[in-house]
Amino acid sequence: MEKKKILIAEDNEANAELLLAILRRAGYSADVSNNGKKAFDTIKRNKYDALLTDWMMPEMDGIELIRRVRDTIKPVPIIVIITALSSPEARKHALDSGSDDFIVKPYDPQDIITRLDNLFNREKQPFPSVIPKQTKKYNISAPFTGVCIAASSGGPQTLKKILSTLTVTKDAAFFIVQHSPSWALEDMAKRWNEISTMEIILSTDGIAIDPGKIYLAPGKTHMTVEPGSMKIRLLDDPPENYVKPAADPLFRSVAKSFGKRSIAVIVTGMGRDGALGASHINATAGIVIAQDPETAIVKSMPATVIKTIPSTIVVPLSEIPETVNKYIEKLSVNKENKILHKVYN
């Protein structure tokens, strides 16, 4: 098997040599550029499977390097930013970089290899093969709609745009899975509360779900909705689709808890997470919405959903909030607060 080629953009010679040794020892082929401009010129001339970049570098910093690579290099390599997140500014820059993953200095060499292996596995993951179909009918009285949103690479910027324009509603609760480490998700909850019209809660196990609030999955755990109780349950189950938190466990639980009053939204991201889970929501006669891949920073997650579920509603990023609000209104309960759902079992 041909070795994966990785470009390291790092101006510190000692750090560059350490990364080079770690990657080569793990069986990767690796090269080094000692500033962002050289790295960009190198990656334009040669095909690389991944880019590991520092943030602070001369001539062109890592954030600008990532932006230019995403804008001009096709196919886009896997991108990981490596930085010492010692300040709120550094955290913000890392979150807004559009990278596929973050590695924090000082790092464990094995962690770098594990993350790269997972990213390559997500990139080549096959399309879902077994798709659930509508089966039985149940009378389920869901008092409000459950809207679940999945995002990965490019998610922080994309979700920020969605959350800043979503209309306040008491007819739905929102659940978000973003593939990110714990520190990043904690930061997102704080930052998004500054721009969101609804309260954003970093979920804890057992909390009651209220309409008009947004629940964000924390790191290293799967967030689900407990059918019947309308409470959040955090599960320490193995990763799904090579990620944890993953969207599929959330989507399955929302389908069982909200039935026809379920809405799945899949936006930018690498891999296939969310597609199989969204098919469970589709099986309940719920709504599946995908970001138009042409407007996504990374196309594979929404593109997978569109291919897997032909009835997916495809809209550009700018129209997602309006589309979600429209279907929340459509799914609102009648005056008797009863609704018949088809629920996948």
Side-chain angles (χ1 to χ4, degrees), residues 254-269:
V254 167
K256 290 178 181 179
S257 299
F258 291 90
K260 189 176 181 180
R261 297 197 72 187
S262 305
I263 299 176
V265 183
I266 299 87
V267 296
T268 179

Side-chain angles (χ1 to χ4, degrees), residues 15 20 66 78 100 104 142 199 218 247 324:
N15 288 342
L20 204 59
I66 292 170
I78 287 170
D100 296 307
V104 180
E199 182 184 3
V324 169

Side-chain angles (χ1 to χ4, degrees), residues 131-144:
I131 307 301
K133 297 179 180 179
Q134 290 185 8
T135 53
K136 301 177 182 178
K137 289 184 179 180
Y138 290 89
N139 285 315
I140 293 180
S141 183
F144 48 87

Side-chain angles (χ1 to χ4, degrees), residues 163-177:
L163 295 174
S164 65
T165 53
L166 265 178
T167 304
V168 177
T169 177
K170 288 295 183 182
D171 288 328
F174 296 78
F175 310 93
I176 297 176
V177 168

